[in-house]
């Protein structure tokens, strides 16, 4: 299997979604079941994932947290946490993730535009911690790892959508 096919398979595996999380609060500014972990005075460690560059405000979001092992990154059943919610109609999109400890992690985000619970290269967007440049394959784990610190840190993620032969942010978003 060539590297493009292997990368496309990994992205498709990454975006296989389950049913959307029931009852997730969608408030302007900060959303997700773990919002309290990013509240003022929270001890952390926590990541406030700031998702930017939406093509539109339709569908759902899937945010996955991975550890620092290459064999686990983007593999089914190997995530540390998974948060699913609908894309809010307006406002900034911050998703809080309580981190298990101070160490290295990777975050992957899918914007499932059509809500079909499958990756569609023609419409869906993806993004990763550290905002690596994407082609058709998955990014190297070393390019998306960040080191969690005590407290709360903001992790900006810019979504990438299919443009030509690769995935890139929409104009002006990088």
């Amino acid at each position: 299997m060539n590297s493009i096919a292997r990368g496309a398979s990994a992205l498709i595996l990454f975006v296989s979604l389950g049913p959307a999380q029931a009852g997730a609060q969608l408030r302007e500014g900060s959303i997700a079941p773990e919002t309290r972990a990013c509240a003022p005075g929270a001890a952390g460690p926590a990541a406030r994932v700031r998702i930017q560059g939406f093509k539109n405000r339709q569908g759902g979001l899937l945010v996955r947290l991975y550890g620092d092992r290459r064999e686990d990154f983007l593999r089914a059943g190997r995530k540390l946490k998974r948060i699913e919610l609908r894309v809010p109609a307006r406002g900034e999109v911050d998703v809080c993730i309580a981190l298990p400890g101070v160490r290295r992690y990777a975050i992957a985000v899918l914007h499932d535009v059509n809500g079909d619970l499958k990756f569609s290269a023609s419409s869906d967007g993806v993004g990763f911690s550290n905002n690596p440049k994407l082609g058709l394959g998955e990014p190297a784990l070393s390019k998306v790892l960040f080191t969690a610190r005590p407290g709360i840190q903001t992790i900006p993620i810019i979504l990438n959508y299919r443009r030509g032969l690769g995935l890139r942010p929409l104009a002006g978003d990088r």
Side-chain angles (χ1 to χ4, degrees):
M1 182 183 299
N2 67 34
S3 63
I4 291 175
R6 204 170 29 255
S9 296
L11 281 174
I12 290 167
L13 180 62
F14 156 64
V15 297
S16 60
L17 302 173
Q21 187 162 357
Q25 286 193 342
L26 299 179
R27 297 184 321 208
E28 226 173 291
S30 187
I31 56 177
E34 299 186 338
T35 298
R36 288 186 184 148
C38 293
R48 180 184 295 114
V49 182
R50 178 153 294 151
I51 304 167
Q52 302 169 311
F54 287 90
K55 182 194 314 192
N56 58 48
R57 293 303 186 110
Q58 300 170 348
L61 282 174
L62 172 65
V63 180
R64 287 187 177 170
L65 176 70
Y66 293 92
D68 60 359
R69 295 170 27 126
R70 188 170 11 121
E71 59 269 20
D72 294 340
F73 182 55
L74 300 180
R75 300 301 178 258
R78 297 291 188 83
K79 71 214 166 286
L80 298 174
K81 289 195 175 191
R82 172 180 166 149
I83 297 174
E84 295 179 49
L85 35 92
R86 288 189 316 252
V87 176
R90 64 187 178 290
E92 289 195 345
V93 178
D94 285 353
V95 177
C96 184
I97 302 174
L99 301 174
V102 176
R103 58 176 248 199
R104 292 168 46 118
Y105 298 99
I107 297 174
V109 175
L110 166 71
H111 177 204
D112 182 26
V113 174
N114 61 10
D116 68 353
L117 306 179
K118 295 180 206 166
F119 177 66
S120 173
S122 63
S123 63
D124 294 342
V126 295
F128 298 89
S129 41
N130 296 331
N131 293 306
K133 196 172 196 178
L134 300 176
L136 287 178
E138 68 186 59
L141 177 61
S142 62
K143 294 193 184 251
V144 300
L145 284 172
F146 68 95
T147 302
R149 302 181 305 268
I152 302 158
Q153 64 194 102
T154 299
I155 308 293
I157 294 183
I158 299 171
L159 293 170
N160 295 267
Y161 296 88
R162 178 79 184 263
R163 303 198 46 194
L165 295 176
L167 298 168
R168 291 191 286 274
L170 301 175
D173 285 329
R174 188 173 289 258

